[in-house]
Amino acid sequence: MKFVQYNIDPAIKESLEALGFRKPTDIQYKAIPSILKGEDVLAIAQTGTGKTAAFAIPIIDRLLRKKQPHVLRCLVMVPTRELAVQIATVFRDIAGHTHLKVLGLFGGVEQNPQAGALRNGIDILVATPGRLFDLVHQGHLVLDRVEVLVLDEADHMLDLGFLTDINDLVRKLPTRRQTLFFSATINDRIKELAYRIVKKPIRIQLSPKDPVSKNVDHAFARIGMDDKRFFLEKLLKERADAKVLVFVRTRLRADRVSAAMLRVGIPSLVMHSGKDQADRLQVLESFRQGDSRLLITTDVNARGIDIPDVDYVVNYDLPDHPESYVHRVGRTGRGLKRGEAISFVSPEEEPLLDAIEAYTGTEISERNIDAESYRLTIAETEDTPHDNWRKLLEEADAPSKKRRKKS
Ligand code: ADP
Ligand code: MG
């Protein structure tokens, strides 16, 4: 079935046509009719399968059926600021030929323009919890007309860091509302929490056993912690045209890996939660636009971010939470595209690899590096690690010696 055959507002069809969305994806095919009927839905489908439009299309249709002055009728909660921007853009794209007004609301930027936009009236709000609550508490935002609540990345939104906020939020919403949960990953504990905030039994669309996107070829290689940068250098030089997203464990490591790549002539963008928000948005936009082909980042970009032409994901470090693996490698292979992912696994990270395999229920294939090519990779680096390390050590040592003398 094509979108033209759907019983949805012609203005939506026009936008879908312009976006090049002719046929629904599997999750859209399954979820849209239920959502149109007003049912509560818990939808689990692999990364990159079009979950955003799966809720945006029927929500927009619902809002169009009953024309109202601009009041907040749909609230979408997301875990990160960049995701608020992205999901708001999808709503805006699909509702482009309608009167509906959409706002992305997130912290780290000035609040006044957001409060101003809210005062002018909006219909659909895509928000991160922190800023939403600030504005609610200051009286800029009333939630008593909300008809639809969406938790995107639902398992994450119901996880410890966000759960109290979400529970508080749900208490402020009308009890008669539609509630939608979307994610690529879920577990039984989270499912139980999700059931608690909906009244009616909810429908479940389940993905296949393996939650990793079938469009992603993923493998791991055994590499010592201190050698990882040489292997990243080699990969980036071999794949000089590829658009590559590299995940590391910490903000500090993101900066360090970026510096190491620069030493060997490979510039990169860095993005993590330690950067100011204007930077974060700009970096992601530069990567999206292709100004730079390499982005080194933390798990802040593991979920939801949709940059369709990412060719390669590198897990420079393995994530602590197994589900993050599924989300990280899901930043490639989106829509109909295929993608590749490789994880660098040091001996101390092997328990994390076991945990990921237990979680996905599959064995991740190993890309064997024989001793000779391992040795060559290190020998062929353009970095001068020993000199650099000596200099760094001297620098690090100098001030501490001074301090010691003083005391
Ligand atoms: P998910 O949330 O499932 O990870 P997204 O909603 O971010 O996936 O969508 C992934 C990509 O698929 C986006 O680039 C989006 O534009 C594209 N897409 C979504 N629905 C369709 C469709 N029906 N036809 C073609 N492309 C689509
Ligand atoms: Mg998504």
Side-chain angles (χ1 to χ4, degrees):
M1 187 146 128
K2 296 194 178 124
F3 281 126
V4 285
Q5 295 160 282
Y6 272 66
N7 187 19
I8 51 174
D9 197 285
I12 300 176
K13 292 183 185 176
E14 203 180 321
S15 302
L16 294 177
E17 174 79 34
L19 286 168
F21 294 8
R22 272 177 205 97
K23 270 175 31 196
T25 63
D26 288 352
I27 187 63
Q28 289 163 3
Y29 180 76
K30 283 193 182 149
I32 289 174
S34 299
I35 301 177
L36 283 174
K37 274 192 241 153
E39 289 175 318
D40 292 341
V41 172
L42 167 68
I44 307 301
Q46 292 173 331
T47 54
T49 53
K51 292 188 285 295
T52 319
F55 57 80
I57 293 169
I59 288 173
I60 291 167
D61 189 69
R62 173 188 177 137
L63 301 190
L64 289 176
R65 275 188 231 164
K66 198 167 52 160
K67 205 161 179 183
Q68 289 198 353
H70 299 297
V71 287
L72 178 58
R73 293 165 70 195
C74 168
L75 177 59
V76 184
M77 299 303 295
V78 294
T80 65
R81 297 161 180 181
E82 290 70 26
L83 214 42
V85 174
Q86 179 184 302
I87 305 286
T89 305
V90 174
F91 269 96
R92 239 175 246 130
D93 286 345
I94 299 176
H97 299 285
T98 76
H99 71 287
L100 297 172
K101 289 210 275 181
V102 185
L103 181 68
L105 189 75
F106 49 91
V109 295
E110 256 199 87
Q111 189 189 287
N112 285 346
Q114 296 176 339
L118 290 171
R119 251 193 319 279
N120 290 337
I122 50 129
D123 304 271
I124 298 163
L125 187 62
V126 185
T128 55
R131 182 54 62 90
L132 179 91
F133 276 101
D134 289 348
L135 288 162
V136 169
H137 289 140
Q138 294 166 31
H140 292 295
L141 187 57
V142 228
L143 301 172
D144 58 2
R145 304 281 289 280
V146 171
E147 296 170 28
V148 191
L149 169 69
V150 183
L151 300 187
D152 192 25
E153 306 296 339
D155 58 331
H156 195 39
M157 299 311 291
L158 293 171
D159 210 345
L160 295 178
F162 286 118
L163 184 60
T164 320
D165 278 352
I166 296 297
N167 280 333
D168 285 351
L169 169 71
V170 165
R171 259 179 253 127
K172 291 185 170 36
L173 298 176
T175 40
R176 248 182 70 106
R177 60 157 199 275
Q178 184 175 24
T179 308
L180 311 174
F181 306 95
F182 277 79
S183 188
T185 53
I186 194 86
N187 62 43
D188 288 344
R189 184 178 61 84
I190 301 283
K191 220 182 272 174
E192 151 80 23
L193 288 170
Y195 282 117
R196 271 192 223 165
I197 58 174
V198 291
K199 281 215 190 97
K200 293 171 281 177
I202 56 181
R203 299 178 57 106
I204 307 174
Q205 275 91 19
L206 274 176
S207 62
K209 285 254 155 50
D210 180 1
V212 175
S213 165
K214 59 184 186 331
N215 290 353
V216 181
D217 294 316
H218 60 124
F220 77 92
R222 294 178 202 274
I223 300 171
M225 192 59 91
D226 295 336
D227 300 330
K228 288 183 176 184
R229 63 185 191 283
F230 307 125
F231 285 86
L232 182 60
E233 174 187 352
K234 180 174 148 88
L235 184 152
L236 292 169
K237 285 181 174 160
E238 278 173 1
R239 303 286 300 263
D241 294 326
K243 188 156 174 171
V244 183
L245 184 56
V246 177
F247 285 101
V248 296
R249 183 191 300 278
T250 64
R251 306 172 195 179
L252 185 65
R253 271 174 82 71
D255 290 325
R256 285 201 178 144
V257 174
S258 174
M261 289 307 108
L262 195 60
R263 285 203 301 274
V264 297
I266 303 171
S268 58
L269 297 164
V270 178
M271 206 278 238
H272 52 64
S273 56
K275 299 215 167 247
D276 76 47
Q277 191 51 35
D279 266 4
R280 276 172 59 162
L281 287 167
Q282 208 229 308
V283 162
L284 206 58
E285 194 50 30
S286 300
F287 187 58
R288 202 183 285 277
Q289 297 301 330
D291 302 340
S292 172
R293 67 164 187 114
L294 175 60
L295 173 61
I296 302 173
T297 190
T298 58
D299 273 330
V300 73
N301 281 316
R303 281 186 182 251
I305 296 301
D306 181 55
I307 301 180
D309 58 350
V310 170
D311 302 294
Y312 221 112
V313 167
V314 178
N315 284 316
Y316 192 86
D317 300 316
L318 282 188
D320 287 328
H321 304 288
E323 71 275 12
S324 293
Y325 179 86
V326 173
H327 293 280
R328 284 176 174 192
V329 302
R331 290 321 97 209
T332 185
R334 304 189 63 76
L336 299 174
K337 295 236 160 88
R338 293 206 62 85
E340 272 182 86
I342 181 88
S343 300
F344 293 175
V345 181
S346 68
E348 52 273 53
E349 290 176 302
E350 283 189 22
L352 294 175
L353 180 66
D354 294 342
I356 290 164
E357 288 183 332
Y359 179 81
T360 60
T362 54
E363 220 170 88
I364 302 172
S365 57
E366 178 169 2
R367 198 167 302 162
N368 275 306
I369 306 172
D370 62 63
E372 180 58 8
S373 42
Y374 197 105
R375 197 190 60 76
L376 272 176
T377 300
I378 297 174
E380 283 169 357
T381 177
E382 285 175 48
D383 200 356
T384 44
H386 300 297
D387 295 352
N388 278 321
W389 281 115
R390 199 172 302 132
K391 220 189 306 156
L392 275 177
L393 286 173
E394 279 165 14
E395 278 166 18
D397 228 18
S400 63
K401 269 186 195 144
K402 267 184 222 143
R403 270 200 300 279
R404 244 180 272 135
K405 267 185 204 151
K406 265 188 210 154
S407 59

